[in-house]
Amino acid sequence: MPNRLIRTLRLIAVTSALVTSSASAQDNKVLNLYSARHYDTDEALYANFTKATGIRINRIEMGDEALLERLRNEGANSPADVLLIVDASRLYAAEQAGLFAPVKSPVLEQRIPADLRSPANTWFAFSSRARILVYSKAAAFPQDVQSYEDLAAPRNKGKVCTRPGSHPYMLSLVASVIAHDGEQRAEQWARATVANMARPPRGGDTDQIKAVASGECAVALTNSYYYVRLMRSKKPEDRAVVEKVGVVWPNQSNYGTHINVSGGAMLRNAPNKIAAVKFLEYLASDEAQIYFADGNNEWPVVKTVKPRNPELESLGAFKADRLPIAEIASRTVAAQKLVDRAGWR
Ligand code: FE
């Protein structure tokens, strides 16, 4: 065959390959990911998925609330395939808003424990965090705050700091207290906790830890990863904060410490549904679980995967609340009404 003909045939082959790939660009060769995560280790997480599947990831990264707003505005025209957000209350709200499609995946059903996914399999947890109590070593004792209920104890008058009651982290915790103690006792607890505040609720979880270290508050609530982040910080001022603060796993003598999650879901209008399921299954793989959890100092949700985070592990073992995340989530509307009535602003 003359060289020119070979070149022409090659050119035709290359062109038809390009046509095929552009025709299937809407069909699972790409994954459009809307993510509230933004950690350095995520680069490796996504690159490994592309290497294993050939599926390219387009990422939109924004805060949780901004992503949900964007999805609502985009409606049926949204290009998003998968959403990654944090907290049961947000996953539940998005599910209730009809944003998610159920996923039929034996892999996900086998690897993600049933209490860490929605009963309809519309969302799945991929890492977990605990809501812990911190206390000032100078101004309080660990026995002052052995439980969430202890925040309301008379001995903690003027000592308590929390973020605003309407924040999703607080709503999920209040929802779990409602589930365990009943609505009436939960409301009494919320009112008494508000009355025990050292200052009006403000700031994020790290601000609460710092306020304990500075002596403005004696006890406070935080998600576990904020404390571990300070432990792993190279900044001397962060290490100084950690030195001044003690940690308690709440409710070890009864229902266990409140657990919440980072989670993911396939969107109802996802253009690349096969790629979306592949990506969610990938997040449940051993390799991805380590990256996903470690990026934010959380725990993997797949039981056989052990975290590789010495600072996190140094906090020791604890009894976790086994309340299904979906049950907590379903009580967040009641929790919002309760914090409003209690004046937990
Ligand atoms: Fe957070």
Side-chain angles (χ1 to χ4, degrees), residues 39 86 90 129 163 167 169 205 223 225-226 229 296:
Y39 306 114
V86 301
R90 288 199 185 102
R129 65 279 293 280
R163 65 195 304 163
H167 189 274
Y169 300 167
D205 284 1
N223 279 354
Y225 56 87
Y226 291 109
R229 193 180 293 168
N296 191 31

Side-chain angles (χ1 to χ4, degrees), residues 54-310:
I55 298 169
R56 195 162 47 79
I57 299 180
N58 296 322
R59 256 186 294 165
I60 301 281
E61 291 180 347
M62 295 173 145
D64 300 81
E65 300 300 338
L67 281 176
L68 292 171
E69 180 65 25
R70 184 176 175 132
L71 285 167
R72 278 190 291 269
N73 291 338
E74 289 173 343
N77 297 321
S78 176
D81 295 307
V82 167
L83 175 69
L84 296 178
I85 50 175
V86 301
D87 205 89
S89 62
R90 288 199 185 102
L91 288 162
Y92 178 75
E95 181 185 42
Q96 292 297 301
L99 291 177
F100 299 158
V103 171
K104 186 97 202 85
S105 162
V107 173
L108 291 171
E109 283 174 43
Q110 192 249 315
R111 292 190 54 93
I112 312 287
D115 55 343
L116 298 178
R117 51 184 157 90
S118 92
N121 286 329
T122 45
W123 53 260
F124 301 84
F126 291 106
S127 61
S128 69
R129 65 279 293 280
R131 198 130 182 88
I132 59 174
L133 285 160
V134 288
Y135 65 93
S136 157
K137 288 179 181 169
F141 300 101
Q143 54 267 35
D144 291 339
V145 277
Q146 287 295 301
S147 68
Y148 302 114
E149 287 79 0
D150 283 348
L151 291 172
R155 65 177 174 280
N156 289 319
K157 184 102 202 144
K159 292 185 178 179
V160 176
C161 282
T162 75
R163 65 195 304 163
S166 291
H167 189 274
Y169 300 167
M170 294 306 307
L171 291 181
S172 288
L173 174 64
V174 171
S176 84
V177 173
I178 293 173
H180 288 296
D181 296 348
E183 188 139 357
Q184 213 179 345
R185 277 175 60 206
E187 185 164 342
Q188 287 164 2
W189 163 76
R191 286 180 189 279
T193 300
V194 170
N196 276 352
M197 298 271 180
R199 62 176 189 186
R202 66 163 181 266
D205 284 1
T206 303
D207 298 310
Q208 314 309 318
I209 304 172
K210 288 182 175 171
V212 165
S214 75
E216 193 177 1
C217 342
V219 298
L221 284 164
T222 178
N223 279 354
S224 45
Y225 56 87
Y226 291 109
Y227 184 81
V228 178
R229 193 180 293 168
L230 291 174
M231 288 176 86
R232 295 180 75 174
S233 171
K234 297 205 164 42
K235 293 185 193 156
E237 59 269 32
D238 289 343
R239 308 300 299 265
V241 165
V242 170
E243 301 264 293
K244 294 192 175 107
V245 172
V247 167
V248 170
W249 297 113
N251 297 74
Q252 295 301 284
S253 67
N254 45 42
Y255 55 78
T257 297
H258 171 66
I259 296 296
N260 216 306
V261 297
S262 294
M266 177 167 78
L267 291 146
R268 189 160 56 108
N269 299 309
N272 303 291
K273 287 201 165 68
I274 294 169
V277 174
K278 275 189 192 161
F279 182 71
L280 294 173
E281 289 178 343
Y282 165 74
L283 290 183
S285 68
D286 287 5
E287 173 197 73
Q289 277 284 290
I290 297 279
Y291 280 115
F292 196 91
D294 217 37
N296 191 31
N297 298 301
E298 294 182 84
W299 292 281
V301 293
V302 174
K303 290 255 159 38
T304 49
V305 179
K306 295 277 161 278
R308 266 182 238 148
N309 187 329

Side-chain angles (χ1 to χ4, degrees), residues 303-326:
K303 290 255 159 38
T304 49
V305 179
K306 295 277 161 278
R308 266 182 238 148
N309 187 329
E311 285 81 5
L312 178 61
E313 285 172 271
S314 76
L315 297 180
F318 68 101
K319 177 182 174 182
D321 189 358
R322 297 314 300 174
L323 205 59
I325 297 298

